[in-house]
Amino acid sequence: EAQVTQNPRYLITVTGKKLTVTCSQNMNHEYMSWYRQDPGLGLRQIYYSMNVEVTDKGDVPEGYKVSRKEKRNFPLILESPSPNQTSLYFCASSLYYRRSSYNEQFFGPGTRLTVL
Amino acid sequence: KQEVTQIPAALSVPEGENLVLNCSFTDSAIYNLQWFRQDPGKGLTSLLLIQSSQREQTSGRLNASLDKSSGRSTLYIAASQPGDSATYLCAVLTQGGSEKLVFGKGTKLTVNP
């Protein structure tokens, strides 16, 4: 089944304890990205990657890191989480057909993170 | 900067009613527009994608239209059912800049039995 998977689905942690949220897609998509969703603010892009070893900042990158060592995986790293990073996080991927109108984005199931 | 607005923010209708959800965007230079469904605490399910050259797309009881020049899209749901209750999000893929979707804040739909 073609899908985007994320782990963990739920995570409660404490301020300053490094964590990684994994994201994997099995559709051979070039483009992957991370979004966070907050009440009243909607979905905002954190980081994106156009291909292996190519990443760039989105709208709200502060406090996050990413890496893209393999095409299928795009982990989100919080080196020192803070309470304002409590949010619902989504990973997404698309074929990246040269920014064309065919480019449909597929989303993972989400990771609910609480930082105490 | 692209901005996407969805009206109304919430909608409650009786079962069986046909309904329309609205989405507007400020920059007409888009590649496509996607409608998503989100159930509480869950992920986003893609419902329909309309390419910039298209006027509408249909899937079952759903029909989405796009008027790029006026910056508007509508999602029409026919014969609504309680299972349609969810938040509906529209998002545009804007030309230029990073490859990202710009989302509206959604319309929360409740279909009452």
Side-chain angles (χ1 to χ4, degrees):
Chain A
E1 181 189 353
Q3 60 182 348
V4 180
T5 58
Q6 296 178 225
N7 282 292
R9 296 289 313 282
Y10 303 91
L11 180 59
I12 300 174
T13 189
V14 296
T15 298
K17 186 176 181 182
K18 181 179 178 180
L19 65 92
T20 299
V21 183
T22 65
C23 172
S24 183
Q25 50 88 12
N26 61 2
M27 297 172 277
N28 201 36
H29 283 172
E30 288 187 345
Y31 176 84
M32 298 184 74
S33 69
W34 278 100
Y35 294 83
R36 60 178 288 175
Q37 185 178 35
D38 302 289
L41 296 176
L43 280 127
R44 295 174 293 169
Q45 190 184 54
I46 304 171
Y47 267 96
Y48 64 96
S49 169
M50 293 187 180
N51 214 324
V52 176
E53 303 292 2
V54 182
T55 64
D56 207 347
K57 297 177 181 178
D59 295 323
V60 287
E62 294 78 19
Y64 305 94
K65 285 176 59 177
V66 293
S67 68
R68 188 90 182 273
K69 293 183 170 57
E70 304 167 283
K71 196 172 187 178
R72 64 181 292 132
N73 297 322
F74 190 45
L76 179 69
I77 303 157
L78 284 72
E79 294 268 2
S80 183
S82 62
N84 65 12
Q85 292 178 298
T86 293
S87 187
L88 182 58
Y89 291 86
F90 290 102
C91 180
S93 74
S94 66
L95 187 60
Y96 187 57
Y97 192 61
R98 295 291 177 186
R99 291 198 181 121
S100 81
S101 59
Y102 301 98
N103 231 3
E104 182 177 6
Q105 293 207 19
F106 298 89
F107 281 74
T111 295
R112 184 165 293 282
L113 172 65
T114 302
V115 183
L116 302 174
Chain B
K1 179 186 173 185
Q2 179 74 268
E3 293 181 1
V4 179
T5 303
Q6 291 186 248
I7 294 173
L11 182 63
S12 182
V13 301
E15 182 176 2
E17 194 162 294
N18 302 326
L19 59 100
V20 174
L21 306 181
N22 296 295
C23 172
S24 62
F25 47 95
T26 55
D27 185 352
S28 62
I30 65 170
Y31 288 107
N32 60 44
L33 182 147
Q34 273 185 264
W35 281 94
F36 293 89
R37 169 188 171 133
Q38 185 176 25
D39 293 286
K42 299 289 180 66
L44 279 70
T45 301
S46 181
L47 298 173
L48 288 164
L49 178 144
I50 311 178
Q51 298 173 37
S52 59
S53 59
Q54 296 176 324
R55 299 285 286 183
E56 65 178 272
Q57 279 285 352
T58 298
S59 176
R61 294 182 294 109
L62 305 179
N63 177 279
S65 69
L66 174 65
D67 184 341
K68 198 174 72 163
S69 60
S70 68
R72 293 179 184 175
S73 176
T74 62
L75 179 66
Y76 174 83
I77 302 177
S80 58
Q81 303 169 358
D84 294 330
S85 298
T87 295
Y88 291 81
L89 297 159
C90 76
V92 295
L93 185 64
T94 303
Q95 296 179 12
S98 69
E99 183 87 5
K100 71 177 179 184
L101 290 177
V102 179
F103 283 85
K105 291 188 169 58
T107 294
K108 184 176 181 180
L109 173 65
T110 303
V111 181
N112 302 301

